Amino acid sequence: MSGFVLADLIAICLFAAAWVIYHHMLRTHARTALNAQMSYYRLRWMQEMANRDVRIVDSAIIATLQNGTAFFASTSLLALGGTAALLRSSDDMMRVATDLPFGFVPTRAMFEIKVVGLLILFGYAFFKFAWAYRLFNYCAILIGATPPAKSENDDERRRIATYAGRMNIAAARQFTRGQRAFFFALAYLGWFLGPYVLMITTAIVLFFMWSRQYRSEAHDAIDPTKHMSDSDAS
């Protein structure tokens, strides 16, 4: 009745498996991933912050991170609203799908199932970005609570700085998961053109996400085993 066939089930299972496998890969190969390497520098940043009496720069960086997170959270809400509007215009979208040269026309029920799945993805992304924004706020509070460099209580200063670093890492982790939902949402759009297109778009997005974590210029930039050549400077 809904037009859901075996190929759709296989495609959506592969989509979910790709998400889970990528998440597991980042956890099991964390030492070499770009995110894990940046986590080290986030903690190092908070340790250096503890040695400064004036922390205007640190506050400005945190504010920048918060602004970027707020932008993505707002974008998630806009995406949610736009996707919800598709449910009210199912008939119009079906007519558009009929005119497309792909030869794939889903049923109304199948189309609405796909839209609901897209709503779930954007809703997940919003909650991750909103929580990341809150965690960056907590990190800013911990920076303010860190005793000054001239404080006699050195142990407390270092302890709170470590807390701030961990909070910063936790915020970045939530932000990354929100971005990951956006990337997989792009792959999910392929399902509107058919299950086989979803398989292809999932593989493409998974490859680009993997390459950015392990084989990108950003990864090599902070890899101590890499050295800049003359061609890299051009």
Side-chain angles (χ1 to χ4, degrees):
M1 294 294 293
S2 64
F4 202 90
V5 297
L6 180 61
D8 291 299
L9 180 61
I10 295 174
I12 201 63
C13 287
L14 289 176
F15 173 83
W19 194 327
V20 173
I21 291 172
Y22 181 76
H23 176 78
H24 180 71
M25 180 179 61
L26 288 181
R27 293 177 64 90
T28 55
H29 299 81
R31 291 183 177 272
T32 57
L34 176 60
N35 287 348
Q37 295 186 41
M38 288 306 302
S39 294
Y40 165 79
Y41 289 105
R42 290 177 185 274
L43 188 59
R44 178 65 183 273
W45 166 28
M46 293 296 105
Q47 292 171 349
E48 292 295 327
M49 174 275 301
N51 296 326
R52 290 191 283 266
D53 285 323
V54 180
R55 294 161 184 169
I56 298 177
V57 174
D58 306 295
S59 300
I61 296 175
I62 286 293
T64 300
L65 294 175
Q66 283 185 309
N67 290 336
T69 306
F71 169 78
F72 278 98
S74 301
T75 303
S76 300
L77 286 177
L78 292 175
L80 275 171
T83 305
L86 289 177
L87 291 175
R88 300 184 59 183
S89 57
S90 299
D91 294 333
D92 294 335
M93 295 304 300
M94 293 296 298
R95 285 193 292 269
V96 172
T98 303
D99 295 334
L100 292 176
F102 299 106
F104 178 78
V105 182
T107 63
R108 178 188 177 94
M110 188 63 178
F111 176 79
E112 292 178 348
I113 289 174
K114 295 177 181 180
V115 172
V116 169
L118 196 59
L119 277 171
I120 294 173
L121 288 177
F122 288 133
Y124 173 86
F126 170 75
F127 279 110
K128 288 299 179 181
F129 287 131
W131 183 234
Y133 183 88
R134 187 62 175 170
L135 293 181
F136 279 126
N137 186 40
Y138 291 156
C139 182
I141 293 173
L142 289 171
I143 290 176
T146 304
K150 296 179 181 179
S151 173
E152 296 180 357
N153 196 340
D154 187 67
D155 291 337
E156 182 182 12
R157 177 170 58 85
R158 295 184 180 278
R159 176 174 58 84
I160 298 179
T162 301
Y163 292 163
R166 292 174 181 174
M167 190 67 69
N168 199 323
I169 293 172
R173 185 177 296 116
Q174 297 300 312
F175 179 85
T176 300
R177 290 174 181 175
Q179 271 198 330
R180 189 181 308 161
F182 266 26
F183 293 145
F184 274 103
L186 292 176
Y188 184 88
L189 291 175
W191 196 18
F192 286 88
L193 299 179
Y196 300 107
V197 179
L198 174 60
M199 297 179 192
I200 295 173
T201 54
T202 299
I204 292 174
V205 168
L206 185 63
F207 170 76
F208 278 106
M209 290 175 60
W210 172 85
S211 62
R212 288 181 176 181
Q213 286 292 327
Y214 298 98
R215 292 293 184 270
S216 63
E217 292 183 356
H219 176 275
D220 295 343
I222 58 175
D223 188 344
T225 64
K226 302 291 184 179
H227 302 281
M228 179 177 287
S229 63
D230 293 337
S231 60
D232 294 331
S234 61

